């Protein structure tokens, strides 16, 4: 398994943009941190595009709820460091476009 230092990188990939302002394709670069004592796995998002900025979320689901737009996924670039059976990269989770 590839060593990732207990963090893993990913991308937020959008298939749709109902608002017409966020764009499609890779819209943010992500880093998922190890779980804290409460079990939260914080995610840092570096948003791309015309208004680049950073945001932090207490978990992947918290990020996808407002930013998934019913057609997005997270494409992990590294295996999950907490799942020894996950030696594949990239993998995806999220909401697929209908």
């Amino acid at each position: 398994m590839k060593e990732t230092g207990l963090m893993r990188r990913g991308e937020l990939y959008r298939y749709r943009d109902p608002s017409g302002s966020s764009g499609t394709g890779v819209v943010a670069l992500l880093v998922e941190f190890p779980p804290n004592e409460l079990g939260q796995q914080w995610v840092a998002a570096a948003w791309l595009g015309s208004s680049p900025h950073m945001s932090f979320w207490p978990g992947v689901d918290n990020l996808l709820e407002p930013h998934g737009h019913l057609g997005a996924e997270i494409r992990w670039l590294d295996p999950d460091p907490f799942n020894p059976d996950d030696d594949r990269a990239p993998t995806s989770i999220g909401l697929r476009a209908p």
Side-chain angles (χ1 to χ4, degrees):
M1 178 167 80
K2 184 173 121 184
E3 180 60 45
T4 62
L6 299 181
M7 292 185 281
R8 66 175 168 168
R9 301 167 301 138
E11 304 171 329
L12 178 61
Y13 188 94
R14 283 198 189 126
Y15 293 95
R16 306 176 358 161
D17 179 18
S19 70
S21 62
S22 303
T24 59
V26 176
V27 296
L29 304 176
L30 310 174
V31 175
E32 182 183 51
F33 294 90
N36 63 17
E37 56 279 349
L38 301 175
Q40 293 173 312
Q41 283 189 261
W42 282 87
V43 176
W47 296 92
L48 307 174
S50 60
S51 300
H53 62 282
M54 293 286 301
S55 63
F56 299 90
W57 302 86
V60 169
D61 292 339
N62 301 92
L63 169 69
L64 286 174
E65 185 177 333
H67 295 292
H69 296 304
L70 300 175
E73 68 181 354
I74 294 178
R75 295 180 174 177
W76 294 113
L77 304 175
D78 301 312
D80 185 344
F82 299 99
N83 180 356
D85 297 328
D86 184 4
D87 58 358
R88 320 166 265 118
T91 60
S92 299
I93 66 166
L95 306 167
R96 294 261 182 196

